[in-house]
Amino acid sequence: MSKKIRASIMGGTGYAAAELIKRLVNHPNVELVKVASIDHVGKNVGEVHRNFGNRLKYTLENLTPEQLVADKIDLIFLALPHKVSYQMAPRFIELGVKIIDFSGDYRIQDVAKYNKYYKTEHSNPENIKSFVYGLPELNRDKIITATRIANPGCFPTGTALATLPLGKAGLLNGKVRVVAPTGSSGSGVAPSEGTHHPIRFRNMKSYKPLSHQHQPEMEQTLTAAGGTDISVDFIPMSAPFGRGILVNVIVDLPSHVTEEQMHKLYTDYYKNSPMVRVLPLGQYPEIVAIAETNYVDVGISLRDERSGTKSFAAISAIDNLVRGASGQAIQNMNLMFGLEETTGLNDFGIWP
Amino acid sequence: MSKKIRASIMGGTGYAAAELIKRLVNHPNVELVKVASIDHVGKNVGEVHRNFGNRLKYTLENLTPEQLVADKIDLIFLALPHKVSYQMAPRFIELGVKIIDFSGDYRIQDVAKYNKYYKTEHSNPENIKSFVYGLPELNRDKIITATRIANPGCFPTGTALATLPLGKAGLLNGKVRVVAPTGSSGSGVAPSEGTHHPIRFRNMKSYKPLSHQHQPEMEQTLTAAGGTDISVDFIPMSAPFGRGILVNVIVDLPSHVTEEQMHKLYTDYYKNSPMVRVLPLGQYPEIVAIAETNYVDVGISLRDERSGTKSFAAISAIDNLVRGASGQAIQNMNLMFGLEETTGLNDFGIWP
Amino acid sequence: MSKKIRASIMGGTGYAAAELIKRLVNHPNVELVKVASIDHVGKNVGEVHRNFGNRLKYTLENLTPEQLVADKIDLIFLALPHKVSYQMAPRFIELGVKIIDFSGDYRIQDVAKYNKYYKTEHSNPENIKSFVYGLPELNRDKIITATRIANPGCFPTGTALATLPLGKAGLLNGKVRVVAPTGSSGSGVAPSEGTHHPIRFRNMKSYKPLSHQHQPEMEQTLTAAGGTDISVDFIPMSAPFGRGILVNVIVDLPSHVTEEQMHKLYTDYYKNSPMVRVLPLGQYPEIVAIAETNYVDVGISLRDERSGTKSFAAISAIDNLVRGASGQAIQNMNLMFGLEETTGLNDFGIWP
Amino acid sequence: MSKKIRASIMGGTGYAAAELIKRLVNHPNVELVKVASIDHVGKNVGEVHRNFGNRLKYTLENLTPEQLVADKIDLIFLALPHKVSYQMAPRFIELGVKIIDFSGDYRIQDVAKYNKYYKTEHSNPENIKSFVYGLPELNRDKIITATRIANPGCFPTGTALATLPLGKAGLLNGKVRVVAPTGSSGSGVAPSEGTHHPIRFRNMKSYKPLSHQHQPEMEQTLTAAGGTDISVDFIPMSAPFGRGILVNVIVDLPSHVTEEQMHKLYTDYYKNSPMVRVLPLGQYPEIVAIAETNYVDVGISLRDERSGTKSFAAISAIDNLVRGASGQAIQNMNLMFGLEETTGLNDFGIWP
């Protein structure tokens, strides 16, 4: 590919934007054109995301969709919160530019369910179905030809990657239980009571049990993956580290399956997915092994002790800002523009 | 009560022992006589548990059961690891002293299951049934008349307190899913790869999914509580804080129940249990609110969206070293010796 | 002492207030009457300081000095920020009630210096000299007869306790270098960029180097302690733990002194100070050994390698909210009311 | 440069080795040949340094210097502990290969001082003077022509970079006070009491005050930088984060200097040093801004309040494993082999 993808970002001050900017300026096939924001306007990105120091030329600018598109961009990343994306996306659609949207606004096909869980009235429901759900391991072919991507949520990404092989094999049915701690970076850049260090550094809590807005997204995705009569019961937890999500899924499987069969099912499913690593039996994912990277680690365990349906645990670990947001967005971009899926995404994390 | 309980400790160097010593020396009805240990022999307890500074007279001594009992003690706390307790307990039984055992050795009535999960051969199975499982909110009456207590495990305590009301109401049936992070103090005083700070401070992992040794203890307890056909699928997690366990339980309930009914069921069940606090609907437990104390916070959520069985989440938070070990031991001691159940246990934790 | 001290608090929502309330309700000689606040008015204290749960009767009330004194209190604790205390204190002075003030408003005798460092204009300078600086190990006799106490700042407390013996011995002269990390609880209850967990949990920074408002307080105290020509160069640091301050002081000493002499000087100085522990030579203070307590650990080192003046390090550790605020306030109250200095203050901290 | 540098590592299991391997395999001009170790022999590097997953081909092999050199390497990195390097280095010297040594064994020219501080008897003192002290901002020209580099210690690197401009300007004289916290990764991969998470995560302590083995290295370097009559009084601290060192230096400066002059002195000194960033006046270094990178941030403050000598604070932040070890080693390698100094070193860190 000779010509670089010209891409801009709308929403440049969040943590996902920090990760996105870093990976775009390092990406061999991308030219990051502009970074738009309504906060910190006029500041260099390095004043807000301090890891950049004074080394990048980008200034945060308050730009309209029209102004952004006037720079002849091929792609806009909407790193915007829910309820803001559905106001901006229609204008980019009219302007004919490709879109990767980070919010939840174009993920859920059932707009009534979206409205209920996001406590709003979607103002652009007619465009929802034109977005492809950007989970490469499920929708790779659709993403390749897509012009608009709804980039998946962080918890749904981890949950899907722990369960996709079951769906394809016809083993995903009924109630799926998901319990998942997330790091504090998931709460965003705005300080709040929940991220106040004197409390958070030694705290852990569950929140929105069985009612988190990612629950319907999980149900839709697992159904699309081949699940039947899917109901996801999801409990997220706040944990005292910075980055990462550890997803614990428990489901029932038929009595005839064995752990070895399940392991083969998983390794087969992901054999062409370079960013998913199925761990050997007896090993389980850890946040530190994937933090700061786009990789996903998956481990499984089958309980073989009793008669009747067997309980099966699938555990995945992802970085919420990379694979759960900006890394996945780049993975989608790579596919949309005919690049190698892992371009700009195969750096090693950090150790220790 | 005029005469003080004369109590000694066997196993004085662990974190549970540190908590136990502190609460016993502060207890108005106890005289702590001796602290036995095979490690750090000859050192003052304050050299090992540094919060004591030089303010306690106790020296860690390598003492036999016979030597300990010779001091005319009423009660021995066995703060010993699994597989050591079953070697020591029979000698104290012969010597006729009351016992509160912290290990898993006398908790599980089915010795075959114990041997399987603890990977050992119990050498004193004949005494197992003489121990009462020391969970006051389930077995208060038995504890009052008991002479030997098997002090419950930390995860099983949190799990039981989240589900006991269901058992009594006949609502606990079949598969119970439990996912619970624990702080690093649960790993004990010996430094290890899993508690090495450069990794642990930003890590989280699941371990022994569906195969942890606390699983059969949970199943036995929930069955004793009224559960039927109980199977507990348990995934513990290591989290980067020091103290506490947050237990997330998900079960199915019949379609006719309502959240308000369930909340009433919980508040009624615990109305005479001064150490359990059922939170108002919409509030959920946090580690910081109970850390360093013997209190248990419990919160519930019922998913009301679908037809058929309803998913129900019960969440509890305990301090693993207090309510999950030494505080519960003292709660049991209080009951055994006719004291107010909360004596020495109603201190406020710390904030922040 | 038969009659209890009737005390109230003005400023009940900060972290120091949380620690103060806890220690007052546990204090055998105090009746806490009211807790006044302009925030969270109408809430129970346990809704704000969650370690109290629902176990205390106190409601946060918006009360004037006159209303507070109408309850026949003997003592008011002003747990107020700088610049608010000097508005409230004069009214309590007129009403004739004893005062312990937590702010910096009545600590610095030189009001011009106060105005410069606190960037304000003190509106009540005429009362400053009526306040005794409440550092018991320096001013015990004055505190016993005082009616108004300026409770010392956290960093100045640690610095003074590391150097008082030098002052008395005539060894404190000229430049004193102080470098001290503090935990995040020192930043108070309001979430801010500096206490935002995703950054703070792995960050450390120095702030206000050589210009912190505690610098003049340190200079005044070390001078009062016998220092001559004192200039304190102070660098505070923000560290990623919750509670505690570790103070590192480096000064020059004459060439003739030995480390053993210095150690004897320190142990002699503090032999009647029950809350200060001088560690054996070769041992140095750690935050965990004093966290959550009113105790102070002090360790020293003398560099003996060179000719000329010798470099001397004195290191102290305190809990910023206990010995650096509320515990010290109670220590002062005990002295003012003829109680044992350590009453309500000799609890063991936590381990681990 | 067409031909790649062939380099191997002796000592492949430490944290510095993990960082070194990562940066070497990513380096455009290097071929990493072998990784030798006496621990974990036969394992893939990804089994030990888990961020590598299964993506690298290197096996940890127990290899002699002769075996390593037989692979026609240009350069050996000795990522070995003190006292081991002086056993291995002479053999590589005989074999005629270039050396970058991570240990303290060839840093201190005065072998008596080395023996005293490292509590050993150096067995290869005759080669010490053939090593160039690898601090590029001080010794760039010597490094370019060097064949053997003593890679500086972490604390001395931070201290030197905070003070080099003073030395060149003739302003570095007499006593230099250095107080510096370090993250837990500085303690290495072996779990120990000091890195045990339940304690470390909320602890901070000073250790080896005025007697740390980096003290003589600092004195030698500051003297080489132009300092006169230098005596460094150093207090290191253990802090509860993973990576980074924050160095606080306090010195006396003549009364005539101004803060603006000092700031100009610093910016001028580092104007050709691409890895050092002098912050604007009023800004101070933070660990998070440089963690995971080879960059150094430096900030200064001059106290202008008093007559006589002025107190001056210079504060620097480095990543102990990058700029304090492996990054600096690569910076030295780049210079030795005629490459751009920043090659492989200008990645952005992480945010948050």
Side-chain angles (χ1 to χ4, degrees):
Chain A
M1 180 178 177
S2 54
K3 197 172 142 294
K4 288 198 175 191
I5 304 164
R6 291 177 60 81
S8 287
I9 297 169
M10 184 168 239
T13 57
Y15 286 150
E19 187 69 34
L20 182 62
I21 293 168
K22 180 170 77 171
R23 290 182 179 273
L24 290 176
V25 299
N26 285 335
H27 196 291
N29 307 107
V30 174
E31 183 184 348
L32 175 59
V33 181
K34 290 263 169 81
V35 182
S37 169
I38 56 169
D39 300 315
H40 299 288
V41 174
K43 288 190 188 163
N44 182 279
V45 293
E47 293 177 78
V48 176
H49 311 303
R50 281 179 286 161
N51 61 320
F52 295 132
N54 53 7
R55 295 163 59 205
L56 291 181
K57 64 177 184 185
Y58 299 99
T59 300
L60 295 164
E61 300 176 72
N62 190 349
L63 299 170
T64 62
E66 292 71 20
Q67 290 172 313
L68 283 162
V69 173
D71 273 312
K72 298 187 190 307
I73 56 174
D74 303 300
L75 172 65
I76 185 76
F77 289 97
L78 299 181
L80 298 169
H82 313 313
K83 307 177 194 174
V84 179
S85 265
Y86 66 53
Q87 297 169 46
M88 294 296 164
R91 298 166 64 183
F92 287 103
I93 290 172
E94 275 179 45
L95 293 160
V97 71
K98 290 181 178 173
I99 299 171
I100 295 178
D101 178 37
F102 282 52
S103 84
D105 290 356
Y106 294 90
R107 293 179 199 149
I108 300 176
Q109 299 295 315
D110 178 344
V111 72
K113 202 169 274 184
Y114 169 87
N115 287 340
K116 174 187 165 193
Y117 273 91
Y118 285 83
K119 298 179 173 59
T120 182
E121 183 84 21
H122 201 301
S123 67
N124 184 232
E126 60 274 20
N127 279 320
I128 294 176
K129 70 177 63 63
S130 75
F131 280 73
V132 170
Y133 189 72
L135 187 70
E137 288 79 2
L138 176 64
N139 288 335
R140 195 171 277 116
D141 292 346
K142 293 181 192 162
I143 295 165
I144 287 171
T145 60
T147 54
R148 297 164 203 157
I149 295 288
N151 208 49
C154 51
F155 289 117
T157 297
T159 300
L161 293 168
T163 52
L164 288 181
L166 300 177
K168 189 179 176 195
L171 294 170
L172 198 54
N173 178 265
K175 293 201 172 187
V176 179
R177 267 69 195 247
V178 180
V179 181
T182 181
S184 56
S185 65
S187 297
V189 295
S192 67
E193 203 184 336
T195 58
H196 192 41
H197 183 274
I199 300 299
R200 179 70 175 247
F201 95 109
R202 62 185 192 89
N203 195 20
M204 196 138 176
K205 64 178 174 184
S206 302
Y207 64 99
K208 299 185 187 173
L210 312 187
S211 65
H212 191 276
Q213 67 273 15
H214 282 171
Q215 213 165 246
E217 183 181 338
M218 294 174 184
E219 292 177 341
Q220 173 181 289
T221 304
L222 299 201
T223 300
T228 52
D229 193 24
I230 291 296
S231 172
V232 175
D233 296 319
F234 172 43
I235 304 180
M237 283 185 276
S238 293
F241 53 84
R243 280 185 177 224
I245 288 178
L246 186 69
V247 176
N248 297 276
V249 180
I250 307 181
V251 295
D252 283 322
L253 290 185
S255 61
H256 61 78
V257 302
T258 69
E259 202 171 55
E260 289 68 26
Q261 286 170 351
M262 297 311 298
H263 193 255
K264 184 169 186 321
L265 178 69
Y266 272 70
T267 51
D268 285 354
Y269 187 93
Y270 288 119
K271 69 168 178 266
N272 295 319
S273 288
M275 311 243 63
V276 181
R277 304 183 292 209
V278 179
L279 301 180
L281 282 175
Q283 290 183 23
Y284 305 101
E286 304 195 19
I287 294 291
V288 287
I290 52 78
E292 328 295 336
T293 81
N294 199 54
Y295 287 88
V296 183
D297 280 353
V298 179
I300 62 165
S301 177
L302 183 71
R303 190 171 182 194
D304 218 3
E305 216 173 14
R306 295 165 179 271
S307 59
T309 62
K310 290 180 177 174
S311 294
F312 177 72
I315 301 165
S316 69
I318 64 168
D319 184 300
N320 55 310
L321 296 178
V322 190
R323 183 57 207 245
S326 302
Q328 185 151 252
I330 287 171
Q331 197 174 346
N332 282 314
M333 176 194 75
N334 289 338
L335 291 170
M336 291 166 81
F337 287 85
L339 301 171
E340 184 68 34
E341 184 174 343
T342 59
T343 311
L345 296 173
N346 49 16
D347 47 305
F348 301 111
I350 60 172
W351 189 265
Chain B
M1 179 175 179
S2 53
K3 199 170 143 292
K4 288 199 174 190
I5 304 164
R6 291 177 59 82
S8 286
I9 298 169
M10 183 169 241
T13 59
Y15 286 150
E19 187 70 34
L20 182 61
I21 293 168
K22 180 170 74 172
R23 289 180 179 274
L24 290 177
V25 299
N26 284 334
H27 196 292
N29 307 107
V30 174
E31 183 184 348
L32 176 59
V33 180
K34 290 262 169 84
V35 183
S37 170
I38 57 171
D39 299 317
H40 298 290
V41 174
K43 287 190 188 163
N44 182 278
V45 293
E47 293 178 77
V48 176
H49 311 303
R50 280 179 288 160
N51 60 321
F52 295 133
N54 54 7
R55 295 163 58 205
L56 292 181
K57 63 177 183 183
Y58 300 98
T59 300
L60 295 162
E61 300 176 70
N62 190 349
L63 298 170
T64 63
E66 292 72 20
Q67 290 171 312
L68 283 162
V69 173
D71 273 314
K72 298 188 188 308
I73 56 173
D74 304 300
L75 173 66
I76 186 76
F77 290 96
L78 299 181
L80 299 170
H82 314 311
K83 307 177 195 175
V84 179
S85 264
Y86 66 54
Q87 298 169 48
M88 292 298 164
R91 298 164 66 183
F92 287 104
I93 290 172
E94 276 179 45
L95 292 161
V97 71
K98 289 181 178 174
I99 300 172
I100 295 178
D101 178 38
F102 282 52
S103 84
D105 291 356
Y106 294 91
R107 294 180 199 148
I108 299 175
Q109 299 295 316
D110 179 343
V111 71
K113 201 168 277 184
Y114 170 88
N115 287 339
K116 174 186 165 194
Y117 272 91
Y118 285 83
K119 298 179 172 58
T120 182
E121 183 84 24
H122 202 301
S123 67
N124 183 232
E126 60 275 20
N127 279 319
I128 294 176
K129 70 177 64 60
S130 75
F131 280 73
V132 170
Y133 189 71
L135 188 70
E137 289 79 1
L138 176 63
N139 288 334
R140 193 170 279 116
D141 291 345
K142 291 182 193 161
I143 294 164
I144 287 171
T145 60
T147 54
R148 296 164 202 156
I149 295 288
N151 208 47
C154 50
F155 289 118
T157 297
T159 301
L161 292 169
T163 51
L164 289 181
L166 299 177
K168 188 177 177 196
L171 294 169
L172 199 54
N173 178 264
K175 293 203 173 185
V176 178
R177 268 68 195 249
V178 180
V179 180
T182 181
S184 57
S185 65
S187 296
V189 296
S192 67
E193 202 183 335
T195 58
H196 193 41
H197 183 274
I199 300 301
R200 178 69 175 248
F201 94 107
R202 61 183 194 92
N203 196 19
M204 196 136 175
K205 65 177 173 185
S206 302
Y207 63 99
K208 300 186 187 175
L210 312 186
S211 65
H212 190 277
Q213 67 274 12
H214 282 170
Q215 213 165 246
E217 184 181 337
M218 293 174 185
E219 293 177 340
Q220 172 181 290
T221 304
L222 299 201
T223 301
T228 53
D229 192 26
I230 292 296
S231 171
V232 176
D233 296 319
F234 172 44
I235 305 180
M237 285 185 275
S238 294
F241 54 84
R243 282 186 175 221
I245 288 179
L246 187 69
V247 176
N248 298 276
V249 181
I250 306 181
V251 295
D252 283 323
L253 292 185
S255 61
H256 61 78
V257 301
T258 68
E259 203 171 53
E260 287 69 26
Q261 286 170 351
M262 297 311 297
H263 193 255
K264 184 169 186 323
L265 178 67
Y266 273 69
T267 50
D268 284 354
Y269 187 92
Y270 287 120
K271 68 167 177 266
N272 295 318
S273 287
M275 310 242 64
V276 181
R277 301 183 293 209
V278 179
L279 301 179
L281 281 175
Q283 289 183 23
Y284 305 100
E286 305 196 19
I287 293 291
V288 286
I290 52 78
E292 328 295 337
T293 80
N294 199 55
Y295 287 88
V296 183
D297 280 352
V298 178
I300 63 165
S301 177
L302 183 72
R303 190 172 182 194
D304 217 4
E305 215 173 15
R306 295 167 179 271
S307 59
T309 62
K310 291 180 177 173
S311 293
F312 178 72
I315 302 164
S316 68
I318 63 168
D319 183 300
N320 56 311
L321 296 178
V322 190
R323 183 56 208 245
S326 302
Q328 186 153 248
I330 287 171
Q331 197 175 347
N332 282 312
M333 176 194 74
N334 288 339
L335 291 170
M336 292 167 81
F337 287 85
L339 301 170
E340 184 67 32
E341 183 173 342
T342 59
T343 311
L345 296 173
N346 48 15
D347 48 303
F348 302 110
I350 60 172
W351 188 266
Chain C
M1 179 177 179
S2 52
K3 196 171 142 293
K4 288 199 174 189
I5 304 164
R6 291 177 60 83
S8 286
I9 298 170
M10 183 170 240
T13 59
Y15 286 151
E19 187 69 34
L20 182 62
I21 293 167
K22 180 170 77 172
R23 290 181 179 273
L24 289 177
V25 298
N26 284 335
H27 196 292
N29 307 107
V30 175
E31 183 185 348
L32 176 59
V33 180
K34 291 261 170 84
V35 182
S37 169
I38 56 170
D39 300 315
H40 297 290
V41 174
K43 286 190 189 164
N44 182 278
V45 293
E47 292 177 79
V48 176
H49 311 303
R50 282 180 287 161
N51 61 321
F52 295 132
N54 53 8
R55 296 164 58 206
L56 292 181
K57 64 177 183 184
Y58 300 99
T59 300
L60 295 163
E61 300 176 73
N62 190 349
L63 298 171
T64 62
E66 291 70 22
Q67 290 171 313
L68 283 162
V69 172
D71 273 314
K72 299 190 187 306
I73 57 174
D74 304 300
L75 172 66
I76 185 78
F77 290 96
L78 298 181
L80 299 170
H82 314 312
K83 308 177 194 175
V84 179
S85 265
Y86 66 54
Q87 297 169 48
M88 293 297 164
R91 296 165 68 182
F92 287 103
I93 290 173
E94 274 180 45
L95 292 161
V97 71
K98 290 181 179 175
I99 299 171
I100 296 177
D101 178 37
F102 282 52
S103 85
D105 290 355
Y106 294 91
R107 293 179 198 149
I108 300 176
Q109 299 295 317
D110 178 343
V111 70
K113 202 167 276 183
Y114 169 87
N115 286 339
K116 174 186 165 195
Y117 272 90
Y118 286 83
K119 298 181 173 56
T120 184
E121 183 84 21
H122 201 301
S123 66
N124 184 232
E126 60 275 19
N127 279 320
I128 294 176
K129 72 177 64 62
S130 75
F131 280 73
V132 170
Y133 189 72
L135 188 70
E137 289 77 4
L138 177 64
N139 287 336
R140 195 171 279 117
D141 292 346
K142 292 181 192 160
I143 295 164
I144 287 171
T145 59
T147 53
R148 297 164 203 156
I149 294 290
N151 207 48
C154 52
F155 289 118
T157 297
T159 300
L161 293 169
T163 52
L164 289 181
L166 299 177
K168 189 180 176 192
L171 293 170
L172 199 55
N173 180 264
K175 293 201 173 187
V176 178
R177 268 70 194 247
V178 180
V179 180
T182 182
S184 57
S185 65
S187 296
V189 295
S192 67
E193 204 184 335
T195 58
H196 193 41
H197 183 274
I199 301 300
R200 178 71 176 247
F201 95 107
R202 61 184 193 90
N203 196 20
M204 196 139 175
K205 64 177 173 184
S206 303
Y207 63 100
K208 300 188 188 171
L210 313 186
S211 65
H212 190 277
Q213 67 274 13
H214 282 171
Q215 213 165 244
E217 184 181 337
M218 293 175 183
E219 293 178 340
Q220 172 181 291
T221 304
L222 299 200
T223 300
T228 53
D229 194 25
I230 291 297
S231 172
V232 175
D233 297 320
F234 173 44
I235 304 179
M237 284 185 275
S238 293
F241 54 83
R243 282 188 175 220
I245 287 178
L246 186 69
V247 176
N248 297 276
V249 181
I250 307 181
V251 295
D252 283 323
L253 290 185
S255 60
H256 62 78
V257 301
T258 67
E259 202 171 54
E260 287 70 24
Q261 286 169 352
M262 297 310 297
H263 193 256
K264 185 170 185 320
L265 178 68
Y266 272 69
T267 49
D268 285 354
Y269 187 92
Y270 288 119
K271 70 169 177 267
N272 295 318
S273 288
M275 311 244 61
V276 182
R277 303 183 292 209
V278 179
L279 301 179
L281 282 174
Q283 289 184 24
Y284 306 101
E286 305 196 19
I287 293 291
V288 286
I290 52 77
E292 326 296 337
T293 80
N294 199 54
Y295 287 89
V296 183
D297 281 353
V298 179
I300 64 165
S301 177
L302 183 71
R303 190 172 181 193
D304 217 3
E305 214 173 17
R306 294 167 179 272
S307 58
T309 61
K310 292 179 177 175
S311 293
F312 178 72
I315 301 164
S316 69
I318 64 167
D319 184 299
N320 56 311
L321 295 178
V322 189
R323 183 56 206 245
S326 302
Q328 186 152 249
I330 287 171
Q331 198 175 346
N332 282 313
M333 176 195 73
N334 288 340
L335 291 169
M336 291 166 82
F337 286 85
L339 301 170
E340 184 67 32
E341 184 173 343
T342 57
T343 311
L345 296 172
N346 48 15
D347 47 304
F348 302 109
I350 60 171
W351 189 264
Chain D
M1 180 176 180
S2 54
K3 196 171 142 296
K4 288 199 174 189
I5 305 164
R6 291 177 58 83
S8 287
I9 298 169
M10 182 169 243
T13 58
Y15 286 150
E19 187 69 35
L20 182 62
I21 293 167
K22 180 170 77 172
R23 291 182 178 274
L24 290 176
V25 298
N26 284 335
H27 196 291
N29 306 108
V30 174
E31 184 184 348
L32 176 59
V33 180
K34 289 262 170 84
V35 182
S37 169
I38 56 170
D39 300 315
H40 298 289
V41 174
K43 286 189 189 164
N44 182 279
V45 293
E47 293 177 78
V48 176
H49 311 303
R50 281 180 287 161
N51 61 321
F52 295 133
N54 53 8
R55 296 163 57 203
L56 292 181
K57 64 177 183 185
Y58 300 98
T59 300
L60 295 163
E61 300 176 72
N62 189 350
L63 298 170
T64 63
E66 292 71 20
Q67 290 171 311
L68 283 161
V69 172
D71 273 313
K72 298 189 187 308
I73 57 173
D74 305 299
L75 172 66
I76 185 77
F77 290 96
L78 299 181
L80 298 169
H82 314 312
K83 307 178 194 174
V84 179
S85 264
Y86 67 53
Q87 297 168 50
M88 292 297 166
R91 297 164 66 182
F92 287 104
I93 290 171
E94 276 180 44
L95 293 161
V97 71
K98 289 181 179 173
I99 299 171
I100 295 178
D101 177 38
F102 282 51
S103 84
D105 290 356
Y106 294 90
R107 294 179 199 150
I108 299 175
Q109 298 295 316
D110 178 345
V111 71
K113 201 168 277 185
Y114 169 87
N115 287 340
K116 174 186 164 194
Y117 272 91
Y118 285 83
K119 297 181 173 55
T120 182
E121 183 82 23
H122 201 300
S123 67
N124 183 232
E126 60 276 20
N127 279 320
I128 294 175
K129 71 176 64 61
S130 75
F131 280 73
V132 171
Y133 188 72
L135 188 70
E137 288 78 1
L138 176 64
N139 288 334
R140 193 170 278 115
D141 292 345
K142 292 181 193 160
I143 295 165
I144 287 171
T145 60
T147 53
R148 296 164 204 158
I149 294 289
N151 207 49
C154 51
F155 289 118
T157 296
T159 300
L161 293 169
T163 53
L164 288 181
L166 300 177
K168 190 179 176 194
L171 293 169
L172 199 54
N173 178 266
K175 293 201 171 187
V176 178
R177 268 69 195 250
V178 180
V179 181
T182 182
S184 57
S185 65
S187 297
V189 295
S192 67
E193 203 184 336
T195 58
H196 192 41
H197 184 275
I199 300 301
R200 178 69 175 247
F201 95 106
R202 60 184 194 93
N203 196 19
M204 196 140 176
K205 65 177 174 185
S206 302
Y207 63 99
K208 299 186 187 174
L210 313 186
S211 64
H212 190 276
Q213 67 274 13
H214 282 172
Q215 212 166 245
E217 183 181 337
M218 293 175 185
E219 293 177 340
Q220 173 181 289
T221 303
L222 298 201
T223 300
T228 53
D229 193 25
I230 292 296
S231 172
V232 175
D233 296 319
F234 172 44
I235 305 181
M237 284 184 277
S238 294
F241 54 84
R243 282 188 175 221
I245 287 178
L246 186 69
V247 176
N248 299 276
V249 181
I250 307 181
V251 295
D252 283 322
L253 291 185
S255 60
H256 62 79
V257 302
T258 68
E259 203 171 54
E260 288 68 26
Q261 287 170 352
M262 298 310 298
H263 192 255
K264 185 172 187 318
L265 178 67
Y266 273 69
T267 51
D268 285 354
Y269 187 92
Y270 288 120
K271 69 168 178 267
N272 296 318
S273 288
M275 310 241 65
V276 182
R277 303 183 292 210
V278 179
L279 301 180
L281 281 174
Q283 289 184 24
Y284 305 101
E286 304 196 19
I287 293 292
V288 286
I290 52 77
E292 327 296 337
T293 81
N294 199 53
Y295 287 89
V296 183
D297 280 353
V298 179
I300 64 165
S301 178
L302 183 71
R303 189 173 181 194
D304 217 3
E305 215 173 14
R306 295 167 179 272
S307 58
T309 61
K310 290 179 176 173
S311 293
F312 178 72
I315 302 165
S316 68
I318 64 169
D319 184 299
N320 56 311
L321 295 178
V322 190
R323 184 56 208 245
S326 302
Q328 186 153 250
I330 286 171
Q331 198 175 346
N332 282 313
M333 176 194 75
N334 288 339
L335 292 169
M336 291 166 81
F337 286 86
L339 301 170
E340 184 68 31
E341 183 173 342
T342 58
T343 312
L345 296 173
N346 48 15
D347 47 305
F348 301 110
I350 60 170
W351 189 265

